[in-house]
Amino acid sequence: QVQLVESGGGSVQPGGSLTLSCEASRWSLDFYVVAWFRQAPGQDREPVSCIGSDDTMPFYSDSVKGRFAASRDRAKNAVTLRMTDLKPEDAAVYTCAAEASSEIVQTRCSQFPFAPYFGFWGVGTQVNVSS
């Protein structure tokens, strides 16, 4: 079973940057689709990004497109989320999720990663953005 651990969260000022990491143990993430979700207090969980096992056609929500970038660090068996130009509305608990790659999962990942498609979840890392 894949175990996911997020790291890299913290507090930054608006306009700042953070890089989150989602590291996996027991299984290689090379064969998994990996998504990042976030949830702010009182709000629904929303998908932020998704990267397929072949790294093509990553998904980004409109609110983060152009500011966030997901990538794989195969040496660390991890997926990172580089977040730049952070805004107060980006503050949330960020959680990574993974699911074994398949045609339908890859398609969902590239179009819109629905949370129920993902079977493996981390516990999340807090991101705060304030002046």
Side-chain angles (χ1 to χ4, degrees), residues 24-69:
S25 60
R26 300 190 178 186
W27 295 96
S28 170
L29 278 181
D30 287 353
F31 308 105
Y32 285 78
V33 166
V34 180
W36 285 94
F37 293 82
R38 70 184 181 185
Q39 186 169 20
Q43 297 186 21
D44 293 334
R45 180 172 55 194
E46 63 170 337
V48 174
S49 73
C50 191
I51 187 168
S53 59
D54 58 3
D55 296 355
T56 60
M57 297 187 297
F59 165 89
Y60 297 101
S61 66
D62 288 343
S63 61
V64 307
K65 200 171 293 183
R67 299 187 297 121
F68 290 13

Side-chain angles (χ1 to χ4, degrees), residues 1-4 23-29 32 77 120:
Q1 187 170 356
V2 176
Q3 293 184 331
L4 304 174
E23 293 194 31
S25 60
R26 300 190 178 186
W27 295 96
S28 170
L29 278 181
Y32 285 78
N77 196 29
F120 305 102

Side-chain angles (χ1 to χ4, degrees), residues 51-119:
I51 187 168
S53 59
D54 58 3
D55 296 355
T56 60
M57 297 187 297
F59 165 89
Y60 297 101
S61 66
D62 288 343
S63 61
V64 307
K65 200 171 293 183
R67 299 187 297 121
F68 290 13
S71 62
R72 291 182 183 270
D73 185 341
R74 299 185 188 279
K76 295 183 178 180
N77 196 29
V79 170
T80 62
L81 183 68
R82 175 65 176 167
M83 307 186 296
T84 62
D85 190 23
L86 282 161
K87 306 175 186 301
E89 53 265 38
D90 294 319
V93 174
Y94 284 71
T95 307
C96 66
E99 183 54 48
S101 181
S102 67
E103 184 175 346
I104 189 170
V105 172
Q106 292 267 60
T107 299
R108 289 294 184 183
C109 174
S110 64
Q111 295 178 350
F112 190 89
F114 288 101
Y117 277 92
F118 294 84

Side-chain angles (χ1 to χ4, degrees), residues 117-129:
Y117 277 92
F118 294 84
F120 305 102
W121 292 79
V123 297
T125 184
Q126 179 72 48
V127 172
N128 297 311
V129 185

